[in-house]
Amino acid sequence: MAIRELVYLGDERLRQRAIKILQVTPELTKLAADMLETMRYHDGVGLAGPQIGVMRRIFVAEIPEPEPDSDGTPHPYAGVSFVLINPEIVKQSRDLLEATEGCLSIPAWSGCVERAEWVEIKALNLEGQSFQMRAEGFLARVFLHELDHLNGALYVDHITDYQKLWNAEDEVRNGENPSHDP
Ligand code: NI
């Protein structure tokens, strides 16, 4: 496994549509392992191919397990790592939820984005088998954010009000509370 170099905002590759994967090969297993390692190294919850310059339709996602002393309800998918190849939305809720997002390709920035509450998504796994799953809440948000990356879109594209976009480093400098409620 290896930590790959990230691609950042301003790089044209983040604006290009990734190409469908025609064959699931052992190299793809290695790529997915690298993507998961790179994502965890940067404390991310998702990473798409174009973010490491691989213009293929693949993304990984993993919501970390909560800290042992956390009293929050753990997400049902916490600690599960997902690899989705050629993902496609089958169905998604009309109801939208607004919540905070960040992106490893846009360090230090966060913003409030509306996303579907749940999404049914179909994809191939690393064995080349087709599967379909329903993701809700935060996982749905992560999947939709990563799917955007495969189509050259970024979360900031969904933000039309500048007050819904902020820089965490500015807040630390100004001594403000860095936590925002959407
Ligand atoms: Ni992102």
Side-chain angles (χ1 to χ4, degrees):
M1 289 205 289
I3 294 165
R4 304 284 193 104
E5 232 173 274
L6 289 176
V7 166
Y8 295 103
L9 181 68
D11 190 307
E12 263 311 298
R13 287 172 292 183
L14 288 179
R15 291 312 194 171
Q16 289 162 6
R17 195 181 154 82
I19 298 161
K20 192 173 177 181
I21 290 166
L22 297 178
Q23 215 179 346
V24 178
T25 59
E27 283 69 40
L28 219 50
T29 304
K30 262 190 265 171
L31 172 67
D34 284 358
M35 288 173 71
L36 281 164
E37 194 181 7
T38 305
M39 179 193 75
R40 291 179 191 129
Y41 177 78
H42 291 285
D43 293 323
V45 291
L47 188 75
Q51 291 185 278
I52 53 163
V54 174
M55 301 311 292
R56 296 285 181 273
R57 300 190 79 77
I58 179 171
F59 72 70
V60 299
E62 186 183 78
I63 295 169
E65 308 246 24
E67 297 296 316
D69 61 348
S70 157
D71 54 358
T73 316
H75 193 281
Y77 294 113
V80 181
S81 41
F82 294 97
V83 178
L84 276 75
I85 298 164
N86 298 339
E88 281 174 51
I89 294 172
V90 177
K91 224 195 278 183
Q92 60 184 319
S93 75
R94 287 187 190 187
D95 291 333
L96 304 176
L97 274 182
E98 192 178 57
T100 303
E101 290 185 25
C103 180
L104 294 181
S105 295
I106 314 175
W109 288 87
S110 298
C112 261
V113 182
E114 278 190 336
R115 300 271 188 196
E117 272 185 335
W118 56 262
V119 60
E120 247 173 64
I121 207 160
K122 107 179 161 182
L124 296 178
N125 63 18
L126 284 170
E127 279 76 50
Q129 296 154 339
S130 175
F131 70 97
Q132 193 169 319
M133 66 172 284
R134 181 185 165 102
E136 296 183 15
F138 187 54
L139 189 67
R141 177 169 299 277
V142 173
F143 279 7
L144 290 166
H145 175 120
E146 299 313 324
L147 204 56
D148 267 0
H149 274 302
L150 302 182
N151 297 325
L154 300 169
Y155 81 90
V156 290
D157 301 343
H158 299 288
I159 297 176
T160 50
D161 176 353
Y162 78 95
Q163 289 183 316
K164 292 189 173 179
L165 189 65
W166 62 89
N167 186 300
E169 282 168 8
D170 285 349
E171 288 184 332
V172 172
R173 257 198 306 278
N174 299 335
E176 289 169 22
N177 181 351
S179 71
H180 266 260
D181 287 322

